[in-house]
Amino acid sequence: MKNKVILLASDQLGKGERELGEGILETFFTILKQREELPVAVFCMNRGVFTLTESSLVSLQLKELEEKGVDVLACKTCVDFYKLNEKLVAGKISGMAQFIELASKYEVITLS
């Protein structure tokens, strides 16, 4: 995952049963945080911003990635749209300009 940015566009991984998709996404980040090579950043947009709230178990994994030096970023437009400003427990609010800057420097892996 070195020199990569993860674009997280959903609060679940894949289409199908929500509970399954949420569990798969949590497993992805649980395994990812244990790796030696971590991504440069995780940029959460659309429903992906919900993973940064207390209601998502993924927030625990993202918080640990943050503690290991990974930038965990939330799309400001999305946070405002879903009215999550006061509910974020991980990550920091950012803008699309920062994502574009990251995408111009690093390979982007999209999870949706």
Side-chain angles (χ1 to χ4, degrees), residues 52 59 61-73 89-92:
L52 302 172
S59 68
Q61 315 314 322
L62 293 173
K63 192 176 251 184
E64 285 189 43
L65 282 171
E66 223 174 0
E67 291 167 1
K68 292 181 175 195
V70 176
D71 282 334
V72 177
L73 307 168
V89 295
K92 59 186 171 207

Side-chain angles (χ1 to χ4, degrees), residues 9-10 12-18 20-21 24 112:
S10 179
Q12 60 181 331
L13 191 52
K15 305 290 184 218
E17 297 299 319
R18 174 167 284 288
L20 176 61
I24 293 169
S112 60

Side-chain angles (χ1 to χ4, degrees), residues 34-94:
Q34 296 169 8
R35 295 181 55 94
E36 196 170 308
E37 290 185 356
L38 298 174
V40 173
V42 177
F43 188 88
C44 302
M45 62 175 280
N46 210 322
R47 287 200 58 88
V49 296
F50 281 92
T51 63
L52 302 172
T53 66
E54 195 172 76
S55 64
S56 174
L57 292 175
V58 176
S59 68
L60 301 172
Q61 315 314 322
L62 293 173
K63 192 176 251 184
E64 285 189 43
L65 282 171
E66 223 174 0
E67 291 167 1
K68 292 181 175 195
V70 176
D71 282 334
V72 177
L73 307 168
C75 166
K76 181 180 180 355
T77 302
C78 304
V79 169
D80 291 346
F81 180 85
Y82 290 116
K83 298 176 176 58
L84 297 176
N85 286 316
E86 304 300 318
K87 297 181 180 176
L88 298 184
V89 295
K92 59 186 171 207
I93 294 178
S94 182

Side-chain angles (χ1 to χ4, degrees), residues 90-105:
K92 59 186 171 207
I93 294 178
S94 182
M96 197 56 68
Q98 187 168 7
F99 173 71
I100 291 170
E101 181 67 27
L102 288 166
S104 71
K105 292 180 184 176

